[in-house]
Amino acid sequence: MAEELKIAAGDKEDKYHELVPQARALVESEDDLIAALANLSAALAGTFNWLWTGFYLVKNGVLVLGPFQGPIACTRIPRGKGVCGASWAENRTLIVPDVEAFPGHIACSSLSRSEIVVPLRNRAGEVVGVLDVDSEALAAFDEVDARHLEDIVSALTHLFD
Ligand code: SME
């Protein structure tokens, strides 16, 4: 595919409509995990005005920081801790409209107000990492984000064989 994203102006649904096929193509044609995650974090961050967009990968029983776009972040998150660790433990997408109302939220940046975390799964359905997105706005994420981000990360499954 072209080494450039084409995203026209529009609302969130319009942007995802253009982004999803391009993002899927970007990672489906790649066989290196880090290369795919690095480009995907850039594609997402370049499309939306988010504070932090990136990945944590399960390594030796803990989530370890992977490719991301945004300010520096915590490098390790235990299972069940914070929004990322909860998404891993519960194996489901978590939408947090107000991070201060989430028990155990890990504040990597004091600017973060809301967050969505989407699990990455291998073919067996086990969680092997998470996509974490933070916004400076309250309630920035909803089911539209969940549906499209889940669609995008499902294209990564072949990289976890
Ligand atoms: N807030 C996350 C930690 C990761 S940073 O936001 C990048 C959490 O509670 O798991």
Side-chain angles (χ1 to χ4, degrees), residues 3-91:
E3 305 285 332
E4 191 181 324
L5 286 181
K6 291 190 174 52
I7 309 288
D11 66 14
K12 181 161 77 174
E13 187 80 66
D14 293 336
K15 287 185 175 177
Y16 276 119
H17 187 71
E18 293 202 282
L19 173 65
V20 170
Q22 295 179 75
R24 289 188 60 97
L26 200 57
V27 299
E28 278 166 355
S29 59
E30 179 54 61
D31 65 4
D32 183 89
L33 176 62
I34 298 304
L37 298 184
N39 256 348
L40 189 49
S41 62
L44 289 164
T47 302
F48 296 103
N49 188 25
W50 292 330
L51 172 66
W52 197 91
T53 308
F55 296 92
Y56 284 88
L57 296 169
V58 175
K59 289 185 185 169
N60 300 320
V62 65
L63 284 169
V64 179
L65 183 63
F68 70 96
Q69 301 271 311
I72 61 168
C74 4
T75 56
R76 280 169 181 75
I77 300 175
R79 192 166 190 273
K81 300 292 182 193
V83 187
C84 292
S87 173
W88 174 19
E90 296 173 25
N91 195 345

Side-chain angles (χ1 to χ4, degrees), residues 141-155:
F141 306 104
D142 57 22
E143 291 302 326
V144 171
D145 300 282
R147 179 159 43 88
H148 291 297
L149 293 176
E150 285 170 1
D151 187 358
I152 290 171
V153 304
S154 70

